[in-house]
Amino acid sequence: MLAEELSRRLPEAVLFDPEYVGYLLRHWVPASTGDFQDLPSWRELVIATALSLRKHHAGTLIAPMTLINDNYLAEILDGLRVGGEEVLHVFLDLDPAVLRQRITDRVLVPNDPERDQQGRDFCLRNLDRGIAAAARVPPGTLLLRSDKLTPDELADEVLTRLQGLSG
């Protein structure tokens, strides 16, 4: 919801969901772990795609993605910075019970109930890893409580931080 609110407020921004890179790769290279983030190709392509989108299409890039593997997060953030990008990393934290309920209630693939359930099951299996990641966010990360703030308030916080970076 935050990404959509930011996209609404920043109409010149491009909303880039790195999961689509994973969906594409799945057709050719299945991840032995079941998580496309474990594919080095996924991380490389996410960086390359983000850099290309910024270069050719977007003054601002919004990339909603949960990265709970510290090494993968560092690899992607460092790759973007090496590519000349200023990155604002935002981590949305919330009460574990609220997160579990949000995962259970959401619909990921409306026209494919089986894939939809597989996506929810994957998220629920990794719930504890995601919760633990909040304690390990890298320095400079904007940590926000999405169970305490509305999407509108979250967007206000992100935009205030962005103004501080560019101003």
Side-chain angles (χ1 to χ4, degrees):
M1 293 187 167
L2 171 59
E4 289 82 7
E5 179 60 23
L6 288 171
S7 183
R8 186 185 70 74
R9 292 192 194 188
L10 300 169
E12 77 288 349
V14 169
L15 182 56
F16 164 54
D17 188 341
E19 285 200 8
Y20 287 104
V21 175
Y23 301 151
L24 182 68
L25 279 173
R26 241 188 231 154
H27 291 288
W28 302 304
V29 187
S32 61
T33 64
D35 185 350
F36 55 70
Q37 290 186 17
D38 292 331
L39 297 170
S41 297
W42 179 79
R43 299 185 304 277
E44 289 174 12
L45 287 171
V46 165
I47 294 165
T49 303
L51 292 173
S52 181
L53 286 170
R54 275 280 297 123
K55 179 178 179 182
H56 300 291
H57 306 287
T60 300
L61 192 66
I62 302 164
M65 188 72 212
T66 301
L67 289 163
I68 53 179
N69 179 308
D70 297 344
N71 293 328
Y72 299 170
L73 176 61
E75 181 180 344
I76 289 173
L77 294 179
D78 290 348
L80 294 171
R81 289 180 178 119
V82 166
E85 295 302 323
E86 185 172 17
V87 177
L88 173 58
H89 176 237
V90 178
F91 187 97
L92 299 178
D93 194 15
L94 69 163
D95 180 86
V98 173
L99 179 57
R100 180 176 299 282
Q101 191 62 52
R102 286 183 183 177
I103 291 169
T104 301
D105 291 346
R106 74 180 176 189
V107 175
L108 300 169
V109 188
N111 299 324
D112 189 340
E114 185 177 335
R115 269 190 56 216
D116 190 55
Q117 189 59 48
Q118 288 171 352
R120 265 193 303 284
D121 291 345
F122 176 84
C123 291
L124 290 169
R125 278 194 312 273
N126 287 284
L127 184 71
D128 291 337
R129 291 177 61 214
I131 293 165
R136 302 185 318 267
V137 296
T141 297
L142 177 58
L143 184 63
L144 299 172
R145 290 293 302 233
S146 68
D147 57 345
K148 306 286 185 203
L149 301 171
T150 66
D152 195 51
E153 292 167 327
L154 292 166
D156 289 343
E157 293 290 329
V158 170
L159 293 172
T160 296
R161 176 68 74 89
L162 282 175
Q163 288 173 344
L165 291 176
S166 61

